[in-house]
Amino acid sequence: MTFDEVIGQKEVQQRLMQLVDEGHLPHALMLCGPSGSGELALAVAFGCYLLSKKENTQPGFDIFGEPTTPTENPMLQKLEHPDLHFTYPTIKLPSMNSDYKPVSDDFAREWHELIMQSPYFTMNDWMQAMGGENQQAIITAGESDALIHKLSLKSSQGGYKVSIIWLPERMNNECANKLLKLIEEPPQQTVFIMVSEEPDKLLETIRSRVQRIDIKRIDDESIHTALTQRRGLDDEMARRVTRLANGSWLKAIEELEAGGENEQFLDLYKTLMRLAYQRKVNELKRWSDILATLGREKQKRFLIYFVRMTRENFMFNFHQEELCYMTAGEESFAQNFARFINEANVIPITELANRALRDIGQNANAKIVFFDLAIQMIMLLIQK
């Protein structure tokens, strides 16, 4: 994979290459950005860039001074280079022993298939690929042990060894502490590239030992260009999708593939608000039971959607089109509902959803969490 396959983010690309050119490449980097900004794509492209050069040569040139790029190396084209290591959250399958600690290699085939399709994907996509939508994926201590073993070996090509860690905030404490020791005393010519969406959840000791690079939203022009050139959209359609994407390539793709989960979440949101307004407690109980049947990861995604929709409806009241980012279906609902989200309740409603998100993340009883949210919405909706 090359930087040409990354959508936008030219400034970050230049900064990464400059670190190498000037000989200031740290042994541990952390690319931080919201989902859809392309931080994983950047990490993979940069990892391939490092592995495409040999020690003591100019970046992008082989030992004979001839130009070389990752695309000329079939192992890098297929992301099968022996010195390129991926670490990512995993789940425990029913076939695994109770005391077994899953590692990334257990799901290497699924990961390779997914990332070869596109380095732009969500945790939901990864959970579906693993077949564990009803679990919470973590990076176990078993993974840190496996990584220590891999990186203790010499580079097979005589250059860098690159370890890309996707979502390190999902490491459990035992894994994080072992990784900390590895970062403090890294094997020779090893470069760690962490890809984080929630860096504040990482141990402070790890954050202090990596060079953090914040990834901004993708600029609209780059998304528009990608939509026309990669997806074949006409100019008008590309402009509409670009605006809704709001800097996220994942949201752009989601809009093109409108339906599925987003429509389900909109229906659940609409149902909750209608039943809460009508004070139908028994039906709200059934609503919470339905939410409880969803997997933990999907429950968290719904609550994130809940917060976004609350914000969009609040902004809709200002009649400022440029401040709202809703699909046609969401906007149709907002026409009548938005007036119920106002200055008196927008913050309490948002805080309520964020508490529920925290509780679900801590494995609280989902039925209780969602029923409590539903009951409290009855009072919050009548605040003027």
Side-chain angles (χ1 to χ4, degrees):
M1 180 176 177
T2 68
F3 283 122
D4 291 338
E5 298 172 65
V6 179
I7 300 171
Q9 307 297 2
K10 297 301 181 184
E11 183 180 334
V12 179
Q13 294 177 34
Q14 293 172 0
R15 181 178 175 184
L16 290 171
M17 296 176 72
Q18 186 177 10
L19 289 173
V20 181
D21 293 344
E22 297 178 352
H24 294 154
L25 179 65
H27 71 273
L29 287 165
M30 183 164 66
L31 306 183
C32 305
S35 177
S37 59
E39 62 272 24
L40 178 58
L42 279 166
V44 176
F46 185 53
C48 289
Y49 175 77
L50 292 175
L51 293 172
S52 70
K53 65 182 290 292
K54 296 291 185 180
E55 186 178 10
N56 299 322
T57 65
Q58 292 297 315
F61 292 82
D62 63 21
I63 56 176
F64 303 106
E66 294 296 324
T68 176
T69 66
T71 57
E72 294 174 353
N73 187 327
M75 292 187 295
L76 290 177
Q77 281 184 305
K78 297 178 181 179
L79 299 183
E80 294 177 342
H81 195 287
D83 296 323
L84 178 63
H85 307 286
F86 288 101
T87 292
Y88 35 82
T90 58
I91 59 172
K92 180 173 287 188
L93 298 174
S95 58
M96 297 175 177
N97 294 331
S98 58
D99 58 347
Y100 179 72
K101 300 174 181 178
V103 296
S104 296
D105 285 348
D106 294 329
F107 299 91
R109 178 180 59 82
E110 292 83 355
W111 175 264
H112 187 259
E113 290 177 354
L114 185 61
I115 200 168
M116 286 299 293
Q117 291 175 11
S118 171
Y120 294 86
F121 55 82
T122 65
M123 173 53 73
N124 181 42
D125 297 326
W126 175 228
M127 293 297 290
Q128 289 181 341
M130 288 191 292
E133 296 179 73
N134 294 327
Q135 298 188 48
Q136 293 199 75
I138 64 170
I139 302 177
T140 70
E143 179 63 29
S144 58
D145 293 336
L147 194 57
I148 291 171
H149 173 71
K150 291 176 184 177
L151 298 179
S152 66
L153 304 176
K154 289 185 178 181
S155 166
S156 65
Q157 306 295 308
Y160 287 108
K161 291 176 289 184
V162 177
S163 172
I164 297 177
I165 304 175
W166 184 55
L167 303 184
E169 57 266 32
R170 286 181 175 257
M171 293 186 292
N172 62 20
N173 288 335
E174 185 180 1
C175 176
N177 286 317
K178 288 185 177 181
L179 184 64
L180 174 61
K181 294 180 181 179
L182 188 60
I183 293 175
E184 289 176 332
E185 301 178 6
Q188 187 176 11
Q189 280 200 285
T190 297
V191 178
F192 294 94
I193 308 175
M194 298 185 184
V195 179
S196 178
E197 294 176 4
E198 299 177 289
D200 291 342
K201 292 185 177 180
L202 268 170
L203 290 178
E204 170 59 30
T205 45
I206 290 181
R207 297 202 305 269
S208 65
R209 285 165 174 76
V210 302
Q211 181 168 328
R212 174 171 172 168
I213 298 178
D214 289 310
I215 312 299
K216 300 178 182 178
R217 64 187 292 278
I218 305 173
D219 63 281
D220 289 348
E221 182 180 351
S222 294
I223 291 183
H224 182 274
T225 300
L227 288 170
T228 55
Q229 295 182 356
R230 302 187 186 195
R231 293 284 172 158
L233 270 63
D234 60 50
D235 185 70
E236 183 179 349
M237 182 64 173
R239 289 186 184 282
R240 186 182 73 82
V241 174
T242 296
R243 185 179 174 281
L244 289 172
N246 193 27
S248 169
W249 180 246
L250 289 175
K251 287 184 180 178
I253 299 304
E254 187 178 272
E255 177 62 19
L256 292 178
E257 301 170 353
E261 186 171 88
N262 251 33
E263 286 193 4
Q264 180 187 13
F265 286 169
L266 176 58
D267 286 340
L268 287 168
Y269 186 85
K270 290 162 61 176
T271 300
L272 169 63
M273 297 307 175
R274 175 176 56 83
L275 295 177
Y277 179 74
Q278 296 173 347
R279 304 189 182 190
K280 294 186 176 181
V281 176
N282 288 336
E283 292 187 37
L284 285 171
K285 176 64 169 60
R286 285 192 287 272
W287 177 88
S288 61
D289 289 343
I290 292 173
L291 264 295
T293 63
L294 306 180
R296 291 277 172 177
E297 294 295 336
K298 193 167 186 177
Q299 290 167 357
K300 290 192 286 186
R301 292 196 301 276
F302 168 72
L303 289 167
I304 293 170
Y305 177 86
F306 179 104
V307 171
R308 184 180 75 81
M309 277 297 292
T310 300
R311 180 263 179 200
E312 297 299 342
N313 278 274
F314 178 67
M315 299 306 297
F316 189 85
N317 288 324
F318 289 91
H319 304 290
Q320 298 289 329
E321 183 179 336
E322 66 275 11
L323 298 178
C324 297
Y325 301 90
M326 291 188 284
T327 65
E330 291 168 348
E331 188 171 327
S332 176
F333 172 64
Q335 295 285 347
N336 294 318
F337 173 72
R339 60 193 175 93
F340 293 99
I341 305 297
N342 50 60
E343 293 88 342
N345 63 15
V346 63
I347 292 178
I349 290 175
T350 301
E351 291 176 344
L352 174 65
N354 284 328
R355 285 198 300 273
L357 183 61
R358 178 203 63 195
D359 292 341
I360 291 297
Q362 295 176 350
N363 291 320
N365 186 302
K367 288 185 178 181
I368 296 176
V369 171
F370 284 107
F371 187 53
D372 177 68
L373 182 147
I375 293 299
Q376 292 198 51
M377 282 304 305
I378 293 176
M379 297 304 299
L380 289 172
L381 280 183
I382 64 174
Q383 292 187 20
K384 300 294 185 181

